[in-house]
Amino acid sequence: MSGLRSGGDTNNRRAPTLRAQLLGKQLRELRESAKLTLKQAGDYLQREIGTMSRMESGIIPIRAADVMALLNLYGVEDQKLRDGLERLSRDIWRKGWWDGYDTDSMGVMIDHAWLESRAEVISSYDAMVVPGLFQIPQYAERMFDGTNPDASGGDIERWVEFRMNRQCILEKDEPPQVTSILDEAVLRRMIGGPEVMRKQLRRIAELAAHPAVTIQVLPLNTTTIHPSPEGPFTIFTMPDPYVTIAYVETRGGGIYVESPKADDFLRAYTHIRQAALAPEESAALISAAAERIM
């Protein structure tokens, strides 16, 4: 499959959550491996075929009891897989800090927050703007305002607040390892003007010293052929039995790509890291860029 698609960053209609889509896809694959039809699975759960189809599409979240019943029907004996899918099914219903936000207006941000809360490693390459986990409020506000000219002030305020709350994962006792590659152009693009950009770069320099954060800069003068001319992406390395997931944002909405297709992004990321400056050199370049802003 080409990937799981989510709505635009801020303007989507209500859509299945990524959690529900991932669970439904895995259950569909297990059903097909067991050579059972939707009708047979539906008869076992006493559900209509249409309901089963919507469950496998993620439109209707599947409850843990139904998941375990289906795993029994499909002959799944791998305890690690059973435990992981049960955990994922409970994740669909479990409340997180993001549940106080309207899913219609937040769109793909909700899925992003869930992935960040579960990931072991978050690897990002950014060519245009500072990644959300590093943004200061003033930078985020200017960015949202510039990319969503029809949005209300209230919408922008909620989006900025949500983005700032996402950054709390860096304060956890066991935060995910965050590796970030910034194109040097990100440091030079004056989003919000000199004062905002100076504060933003100083914030990035501070985060470079965080024990869970590694930041590298891809210099403009690199002679390496760029392995990602299509633009930025993020990779979420998840604990077993979840798969590695790559995310690409487009104007038409976000696309999530699972392993094994996510492996292409991992290979591209490795090549970009090899062309980037070392973390120490990168930190010095970021600090120098902040001080040069008049």
Side-chain angles (χ1 to χ4, degrees):
M1 72 189 293
S2 61
L4 301 174
R5 183 175 291 273
S6 181
D9 198 52
T10 53
N11 293 310
N12 75 311
R13 293 174 292 177
R14 185 176 296 277
T17 66
L18 181 65
R19 288 161 279 173
Q21 290 184 77
L22 288 172
L23 179 59
K25 178 178 179 291
Q26 292 195 59
L27 290 174
R28 186 186 71 245
E29 291 173 349
L30 290 170
R31 175 179 60 75
E32 291 172 347
S33 295
K35 301 188 184 308
L36 293 171
T37 66
L38 265 179
K39 185 178 186 308
Q40 289 171 312
D43 288 345
Y44 188 77
L45 289 184
Q46 297 183 320
R47 299 283 197 280
E48 298 291 335
I49 292 179
T51 299
M52 294 300 300
S53 178
R54 288 191 290 275
M55 284 181 173
E56 289 188 349
S57 299
I59 297 171
I60 298 178
I62 312 176
R63 295 190 178 275
D66 287 338
V67 169
M68 302 314 292
L70 288 174
L71 294 181
N72 292 337
L73 175 65
Y74 301 157
V76 178
E77 297 180 354
D78 185 329
Q79 193 59 48
K80 190 174 184 179
L81 178 59
R82 291 175 65 93
D83 291 346
L85 292 179
E86 181 183 14
R87 195 160 59 245
L88 179 55
S89 68
R90 296 190 186 282
D91 252 5
I92 293 173
W93 299 95
R94 183 175 291 121
K95 290 186 177 297
W97 63 262
W98 51 81
D99 283 308
Y101 292 87
D102 174 53
T103 55
D104 286 343
S105 65
M106 290 299 159
V108 75
M109 293 183 188
I110 298 289
D111 290 330
H112 238 68
W114 174 74
L115 283 169
E116 289 168 346
S117 74
R118 292 290 180 265
E120 293 180 339
V121 181
I122 302 170
S123 307
S124 65
Y125 164 63
D126 290 274
M128 298 297 293
V129 298
V130 173
L133 288 178
F134 299 168
Q135 290 178 10
I136 62 173
Q138 300 95 320
Y139 184 100
E141 180 181 356
R142 296 297 179 88
M143 195 201 72
F144 282 131
D145 186 51
T147 56
N148 299 274
D150 297 328
S152 68
D155 281 339
I156 291 176
E157 183 178 347
R158 283 191 294 275
W159 297 337
V160 172
E161 179 186 86
F162 189 91
R163 179 150 293 181
M164 296 305 106
N165 284 335
R166 279 174 47 202
Q167 297 176 5
C168 291
I169 63 164
L170 296 175
E171 301 170 10
K172 293 167 61 176
D173 291 338
E174 296 184 12
Q177 292 297 307
V178 177
T179 65
S180 172
I181 303 174
L182 303 176
D183 195 287
E184 188 178 346
V186 172
L187 312 181
R188 298 176 179 272
R189 189 166 289 110
M190 290 291 120
I191 293 179
E195 183 177 353
V196 169
M197 199 62 199
R198 187 185 308 111
K199 290 180 181 178
Q200 178 63 78
L201 293 180
R202 286 174 177 168
R203 173 59 177 161
I204 297 173
E206 290 173 5
L207 286 169
H210 192 291
V213 176
T214 300
I215 299 174
Q216 293 178 250
V217 174
L218 183 67
L220 289 172
N221 63 0
T222 182
T223 57
T224 302
I225 296 175
H226 205 301
S228 182
E230 302 86 0
F233 58 88
T234 303
I235 304 167
F236 299 93
T237 303
M238 308 291 281
D240 288 337
Y242 304 145
V243 295
T244 296
I245 297 173
Y247 171 74
V248 180
E249 187 171 328
T250 74
R251 176 55 62 179
I255 299 175
Y256 291 97
V257 181
E258 305 168 71
S259 292
K261 291 190 175 182
D263 294 347
D264 288 340
F265 291 88
L266 287 167
R267 283 189 288 271
Y269 197 77
T270 297
H271 290 310
I272 296 172
R273 288 194 75 171
Q274 291 171 347
L277 300 176
E280 297 78 11
E281 294 177 277
S282 298
L285 178 62
I286 293 166
S287 295
E291 297 310 312
R292 282 199 302 269
I293 297 174
M294 303 299 293

